Amino acid sequence: VQLQASGGGLVQAGGSLRLSCAASGRPFSIAVVGWFRQAPGKEREFVAARPWSDGLATYGDSVKGRFTISRDNVRNTVYLQMNSLKVEDTAVYYCAAVSEGYYSGSHYYSYEHDNWGQGTQVTVSS
């Protein structure tokens, strides 16, 4: 599975951005897909995830109510809609996926994912 992330940029606090993650190769083998982020000097943090097929999304506490993860079934693309952005949302955002054969039942830690896209920088200014 190959993941291609895009959509990062510079936005003022309170603004919105939408990140995209296009899956190719064998997207049908994905069990869970989601987003992590990493700010300078900090560990990679879980942001959001959802099953590749139908199912409930889960979110990190710091983004609940502001971010929404969704999937376009036709384009095999996952989106992260980010609203009410805060300065502390500044980070490199990574798209990640868990293959069905790798899935342990949890997806909150980076080591639980076997597929990663390149990061996309999100910078929120005050």
Side-chain angles (χ1 to χ4, degrees):
V1 176
Q2 290 79 48
L3 304 173
Q4 180 73 36
S6 61
L10 174 64
V11 64
Q12 285 191 328
S16 299
L17 274 177
R18 189 178 78 160
L19 305 183
S20 300
C21 175
S24 60
R26 300 181 64 200
F28 52 84
S29 68
I30 296 173
V32 173
V33 64
W35 295 88
F36 285 74
R37 68 186 183 185
Q38 189 165 19
K42 294 188 177 181
E43 294 188 352
R44 196 163 291 190
E45 174 191 17
F46 170 75
V47 175
R50 56 155 292 161
W52 184 252
S53 57
D54 292 336
L56 293 176
T58 55
Y59 297 92
D61 289 340
S62 60
V63 307
K64 281 180 182 176
R66 301 187 297 121
F67 291 11
T68 303
I69 187 172
S70 62
R71 183 170 84 91
D72 183 323
N73 296 343
V74 175
R75 294 182 171 83
N76 288 328
T77 298
V78 173
Y79 302 100
L80 183 68
Q81 179 66 43
M82 306 184 293
N83 298 328
S84 302
L85 283 162
K86 305 175 181 179
V87 172
E88 50 264 41
D89 293 320
T90 296
V92 178
Y93 284 69
Y94 297 90
C95 177
V98 190
S99 301
E100 289 182 345
Y102 196 82
Y103 187 43
S104 67
S106 174
H107 54 260
Y108 296 102
Y109 299 96
S110 56
Y111 66 80
E112 294 171 325
H113 295 69
D114 58 331
N115 300 283
W116 290 87
Q118 88 290 1
T120 185
Q121 176 71 46
V122 172
T123 302
V124 184
S125 63
S126 58

